[in-house]
Amino acid sequence: MKGRTKVALSTIAFATVISLQSFILYQNNIANEVIQAKVDRLESQIKQTSTTNQELLSKIEKLEGNLELKPRSLLSMN
């Protein structure tokens, strides 16, 4: 009887450990999905920011170019 009890308790313990591991993996999977969604959102924001920065840089370069031309055009009026 003692041997059967030990086997039964060992089986229950094993099943409990497996169940807990499965639950932990499930929770980790949910957490990973949440984190991945946040990472995707951040990547999208980075792309938008990069595009905006490129546009601003182009405008700044155009303004700088215009500023370089203005003194010349003022001198040519004389």
Side-chain angles (χ1 to χ4, degrees):
M1 197 64 147
K2 286 184 179 181
R4 288 184 182 168
T5 303
K6 285 183 179 180
V7 169
L9 290 175
S10 295
T11 302
I12 292 169
F14 179 75
T16 302
V17 168
I18 296 300
S19 296
L20 288 172
Q21 287 177 338
S22 296
F23 178 73
I24 290 168
L25 286 173
Y26 172 76
Q27 293 288 36
N28 284 343
N29 187 44
I30 290 173
N32 285 343
E33 288 175 358
V34 169
I35 290 170
Q36 186 61 52
K38 290 180 180 180
V39 167
D40 291 344
R41 211 171 318 131
L42 288 171
E43 285 178 342
S44 174
Q45 289 174 349
I46 288 170
K47 286 179 185 176
Q48 289 174 351
T49 302
S50 178
T51 301
T52 302
N53 285 346
Q54 266 318 111
E55 291 170 358
L56 289 172
L57 182 61
S58 293
K59 289 178 182 179
I60 289 169
E61 289 171 346
K62 185 177 178 181
L63 288 171
E64 286 175 340
N66 289 342
L67 288 174
E68 289 173 3
L69 293 177
K70 281 193 176 183
R72 290 183 195 147
S73 61
L74 289 175
L75 287 173
S76 66
M77 288 182 179
N78 291 337

